[in-house]
Amino acid sequence: ILNTNKQTLHYSLAGGVVMAVGVWTLVLKSDYISLLSSKTYAASAYILVLAGVIVMVTGVLGCCATFKEQKRLLRYFILLLCIFLLEILAGVLAYIYYQQLNDELKQNLKKTMTDEYNQTNSEHITKAVDKLQQEFKCCGSNSSADWAESVYIRSGAKGRKVPDSCCKTITNMCGIRDHPSNIYKVEGGCITKLENFILDHLKIIGAVGVGIACVQIIGMVFTCCLYRNLKAEPY
């Protein structure tokens, strides 16, 4: 029983790790999710959160089952199977999106930034773009020249040539001057920075999903063996 409880405790800890990765992606990196047209990245994170919760619940049920030796509780094998499928799904989605990300960003990021920045009901996009340009020290999707096509800049923007978030040192109206000494001029623009950032996180999501799923295979085998042993015992 002691070894079994240790095993279920390990599952609970693994569930905490899975859930933490999902929550970290959704909460701390949620601004960038709004810049993506596809929901696959967010879906992978939500799946990890759900799988993590189920793993932790399963760990508790496993402890109860082995401590009380109630055979019916060992049927939580079905939960282990659900977790396994969810984590594999998260890993597969991350892999698929990994292959599609470059094309998506090329097709949509520039349009999102130029059409929706500082527009009505697009505050989340504005916040995400400002954070993107400041955090990654870049300006525009492909280059700072992209902002010349922006609805915000073309409408006047009080004389700005780029948003103030392009500036190396942000001050009010600093976007009026688009000289390299004042704004970020990064080769490849923000699209390259954002792509590398998301690709790194997709690797983490995929690795965690598939890695924990492999551990769950051991858990399912262990549960089946334990269930059969208890089933063989007389009441």
Side-chain angles (χ1 to χ4, degrees):
I1 292 177
L2 180 59
N3 290 334
T4 304
N5 286 336
K6 286 182 178 180
Q7 189 76 12
T8 51
L9 176 60
H10 291 161
Y11 295 152
S12 297
L13 293 175
V17 171
V18 171
M19 185 172 65
V21 171
V23 171
W24 172 63
T25 301
L26 292 171
V27 176
L28 297 183
K29 311 302 176 183
S30 60
D31 289 333
Y32 298 139
I33 292 176
S34 65
L35 297 177
L36 304 174
S37 58
S38 171
K39 303 302 180 185
T40 307
Y41 181 59
S44 298
Y46 279 118
I47 289 172
L48 285 186
V49 173
L50 177 60
V53 171
I54 297 176
V55 170
M56 296 178 73
V57 171
T58 302
V60 173
L61 290 178
C63 286
C64 294
T66 53
F67 182 73
K68 296 180 179 181
E69 296 187 4
Q70 295 178 359
K71 300 173 190 177
R72 60 184 180 84
L73 286 180
L74 285 178
R75 292 173 184 170
Y76 81 108
F77 171 85
I78 300 299
L79 285 177
L80 287 177
L81 180 60
C82 290
I83 296 163
F84 174 77
L85 295 176
L86 283 172
E87 289 166 345
I88 289 295
L89 177 60
V92 169
L93 285 177
Y95 176 77
I96 292 174
Y97 194 52
Y98 188 95
Q99 308 301 316
Q100 299 174 344
L101 180 62
N102 182 266
D103 289 338
E104 179 190 323
L105 290 178
K106 285 180 178 178
Q107 293 173 12
N108 299 296
L109 184 60
K110 179 180 177 180
K111 180 176 175 59
T112 298
M113 293 176 73
T114 56
D115 290 359
E116 299 188 46
Y117 183 83
N118 208 39
Q119 301 303 300
T120 304
N121 300 322
S122 294
E123 292 82 3
H124 61 296
I125 297 293
T126 303
K127 179 182 176 183
V129 171
D130 285 339
K131 181 178 179 180
L132 174 67
Q133 296 191 141
Q134 276 296 297
E135 186 169 323
F136 294 115
K137 297 178 170 47
C138 57
C139 182
S141 177
N142 300 293
S143 71
S144 59
D146 291 344
W147 285 111
E149 303 174 33
S150 166
V151 174
Y152 168 63
I153 298 300
R154 294 175 68 179
S155 65
K158 298 182 179 179
R160 292 180 178 87
K161 295 182 179 179
V162 295
D164 290 345
S165 58
C166 280
C167 299
K168 295 178 179 179
T169 301
I170 295 183
T171 57
N172 187 37
M173 299 297 292
C174 65
I176 291 177
R177 182 168 172 267
D178 62 351
H179 191 272
S181 63
N182 183 53
I183 68 170
Y184 294 114
K185 295 275 190 177
V186 180
E187 183 178 352
C190 293
I191 189 171
T192 302
K193 300 279 189 176
L194 182 59
E195 180 181 9
N196 290 336
F197 170 83
I198 295 178
L199 287 178
D200 287 342
H201 283 76
L202 286 174
K203 290 177 184 177
I204 294 173
I205 291 174
V208 169
V210 175
I212 299 298
C214 292
V215 174
Q216 292 303 126
I217 294 177
I218 300 174
M220 287 188 286
V221 173
F222 178 81
T223 301
C224 286
C225 293
L226 184 59
Y227 182 75
R228 290 181 63 184
N229 289 338
L230 289 179
K231 189 175 181 179
E233 293 178 2
Y235 287 93

